Amino acid sequence: MNISGFEFPEELLYDEEKHVWIKKEENNVISIGITSLGQYMAGKIFQVSTKEVGEKVTPRSTLFSIESAKWVGKFRLPITGEIIAVNENVIKDPSIINEKPYDAWIIKVKVEKIDERKFKTINEVYEKFKEEAEKVVK
């Protein structure tokens, strides 16, 4: 779905506050990345730091952080589980997130527990994303 020039694939779920997308995969695994609007608002991303593969995570854990010229963001999500993969391509070249935000997953987590109320379909977050997109695009 296109909202004010930003793409939001309908098969993903979104955290409207953090501009994070999640993709449910098999065996309770989720991939996590940044939305097209989120990367636009951050600006050119030059560093991504993540937890290590094998580390346990809780809702209080910083799963990853992103640095751009104008912003540093630490991402915590309401999930409990274990990091099972880190996208080394994104670590080596964080600008991939700016170029292809939905191909550039950052981490994969095998989830033990997830607060699914926090992650919504694009139809549920459409108005909020539309409002924010219209503020940042002049």
Side-chain angles (χ1 to χ4, degrees):
M1 176 178 294
N2 188 301
I3 302 174
S4 302
F6 297 96
E7 283 301 318
F8 294 92
E10 293 184 39
E11 68 275 11
L12 301 177
L13 296 174
Y14 299 92
D15 177 325
E16 62 191 326
E17 292 168 22
K18 295 185 175 65
H19 292 280
V20 168
W21 58 261
I22 68 167
K23 179 180 180 185
K24 289 183 174 182
E25 299 185 19
E26 293 181 4
N27 301 321
N28 290 333
V29 172
I30 59 170
S31 297
I32 304 170
I34 303 297
T35 68
S36 59
L37 178 56
Q39 67 77 27
Y40 179 87
M41 292 181 350
K44 179 143 179 62
I45 296 169
F46 63 82
Q47 185 169 355
V48 176
S49 306
T50 67
K51 288 241 181 248
E52 299 291 320
V53 171
E55 283 192 70
K56 299 285 187 196
V57 296
T58 69
R60 295 201 327 247
S61 304
T62 298
L63 300 172
F64 58 91
S65 60
I66 289 180
E67 293 183 43
S68 71
K70 59 183 178 180
W71 180 79
V72 175
K74 295 180 188 262
F75 291 83
R76 293 177 181 87
L77 298 172
I79 58 176
T80 301
E82 179 181 336
I83 305 286
I84 62 162
V86 171
N87 189 339
E88 294 298 331
N89 292 331
V90 165
I91 302 299
K92 290 178 191 146
D93 183 6
S95 68
I96 295 169
I97 296 171
N98 294 115
E99 295 160 14
K100 296 180 179 174
Y102 300 106
D103 293 338
W105 59 272
I106 297 167
I107 59 170
K108 292 185 185 230
V109 177
K110 183 161 181 76
V111 176
E112 294 168 18
K113 186 176 171 191
I114 184 168
D115 183 353
E116 298 216 16
R117 296 168 302 183
K118 186 73 173 161
F119 300 102
K120 300 177 177 160
T121 67
I122 191 57
N123 292 327
E124 293 173 295
V125 296
Y126 179 86
E127 288 302 323
K128 169 111 169 140
F129 282 172
K130 184 170 174 35
E131 182 180 305
E132 288 195 352
E134 289 172 356
K135 283 182 192 170
V136 297
V137 178
K138 304 284 183 237

